[in-house]
Amino acid sequence: MRRLTLLAAVGPVLTFLAPAMAEDSSPAPILQYFESTYTTLESRMSDVFKAGYGLVYTPPPGRADTGGTSVGYDQYNRFDLGQTGNPTLYGTETGLKSAIAAAHTAGLDFGIDLVWNHNGYGGTGTAAQNNAFYAAGGYPGFVGPLQTTNPAAAGYNTLGYNSSDGDFHSGFAGGDTDGRLAGLIDINHSTNFQFIRNPVNAADPRNIPAGTSANLADPNNARFYTDTTGAAGVKYLYDPKTGESNIPVYNFNLSNPSAGVAVP
C-alpha cells in the first residue's frame, strides 16, 4: 500500500508526495552522558558504539560559578573549558576535544548542552558581596551593574554604558522571561552594549571594563575571533530582508589562532 506524505500547504493548495516504499526506521538513540569525565567517556566510546547510540550528549563544558564540583549550569565563564591543574568537573578543553574526536572516529555525533539565559549566583548576594564580585570583574564577557564602589565605573560611563543592571535583569524582575530561575542571575537579551568582550590588547579603549581578576586582556583571546584580514578565507552574503549585499563573513584562522582580530 502506498502512503501519502504531506509536505507543504500554500494558500488553498496542498502538495502531497507518495514516497518510495521503504521500511520505517528510528534514528539512533542519544546517550546523555552526564555522570563521568571526558577521559572516561573517551575510553568507553567503543562500548557506546557497540550499544547502538548515534549521539553523545554532555553537560555545559564552561567553568561554573560554584567551582570544579558543579554540574555546570551555574555558568561563570563559557570560554574556560578547564586546563591541566584546574579542570572543570568533567576535565579539560583538551580532554573534551579528544572525546569529540573519539566519537567522530566511532561514527557518532557529539552534542554539548549550552546555557544561554542565565549565569551563576555571583551578583545576587548582599551589597558587599556584589561590590566585591564586580570589582573583581564580575562574569567574564559580561558587564555588571553600575556601582560607585566599582573601580571600573568611570570607564563604564566613558564607553556609553548607562544601565543600572548591565547585561542582566534586575533582581526585582519577575516572571518566566525576566525572573531568576533557581536564584541564578538572568541575562537581559534586549541590551546591546558594544564592547570587546574577550580583550586582547589592554590599551584598546573598546574593551569591556576590567576588574582585578576577570575581563583582563590576554593575547590568547585572539583565538576567539575571526581573521578579518581574509587570510583564512572569507565569503560574502546577501540579506534579502535589508537588501544589503557583499556582507563579509570571515573564517577563524585555525593554523594561526593569534591572527584573530578582536571586535566589539
Side-chain angles (χ1 to χ4, degrees):
M1 183 176 69
R2 294 164 66 83
R3 293 174 298 170
L4 298 180
T5 302
L6 174 64
L7 289 187
V10 182
V13 180
L14 296 179
T15 302
F16 295 84
L17 287 183
M21 292 301 295
E23 292 186 10
D24 290 334
S25 63
S26 300
I30 297 172
L31 175 61
Q32 182 175 318
Y33 209 102
F34 274 38
E35 303 297 330
S36 191
T37 65
Y38 300 133
T39 299
T40 299
L41 173 57
E42 180 182 359
S43 66
R44 298 294 301 275
M45 197 62 69
S46 61
D47 297 325
V48 175
F49 170 76
K50 291 176 182 177
Y53 290 101
L55 184 146
V56 177
Y57 166 52
T58 59
R63 179 75 59 186
D65 199 12
T66 52
T69 59
S70 170
V71 175
Y73 286 90
D74 55 324
Q75 290 283 279
Y76 175 70
N77 186 354
R78 290 167 175 81
F79 292 90
D80 180 358
L81 308 184
Q83 306 92 33
T84 301
N86 187 25
T88 67
L89 178 63
Y90 307 104
T92 65
E93 178 177 339
T94 299
L96 175 58
K97 290 179 178 178
S98 295
I100 293 172
H104 289 169
T105 299
L108 281 74
D109 291 323
F110 197 107
I112 58 174
D113 203 357
L114 297 176
V115 179
W116 297 116
N117 200 56
H118 65 258
N119 283 351
Y121 299 101
T124 64
T126 65
Q129 291 171 332
N130 294 348
N131 288 342
F133 179 73
Y134 287 115
Y139 289 104
F142 290 84
V143 286
L146 179 63
Q147 300 176 17
T148 56
T149 56
N150 189 328
Y156 284 19
N157 287 324
T158 301
L159 294 170
Y161 170 74
N162 58 3
S163 169
S164 60
D165 296 300
D167 288 321
F168 306 101
H169 283 120
S170 166
F172 297 101
D176 294 335
T177 58
D178 296 354
R180 292 179 174 179
L181 172 67
L184 298 159
I185 194 165
D186 195 76
I187 298 171
N188 182 357
H189 295 281
S190 67
T191 61
N192 186 25
F193 303 120
Q194 295 294 304
F195 298 103
I196 290 177
R197 301 281 179 154
N198 287 283
V200 175
N201 178 4
D204 196 320
R206 303 170 300 169
N207 288 344
I208 189 171
T212 55
S213 60
N215 288 320
L216 300 173
D218 182 349
N220 291 321
N221 285 342
R223 70 191 181 113
F224 300 132
Y225 297 94
T226 57
D227 184 350
T228 58
T229 67
V234 58
K235 58 183 176 182
Y236 296 90
L237 305 182
Y238 168 73
D239 188 341
K241 184 174 181 179
T242 64
E244 185 179 1
S245 60
N246 294 322
I247 303 170
V249 177
Y250 299 96
N251 292 331
F252 289 93
N253 195 324
L254 301 182
S255 61
N256 181 20
S258 64
V261 179
V263 294

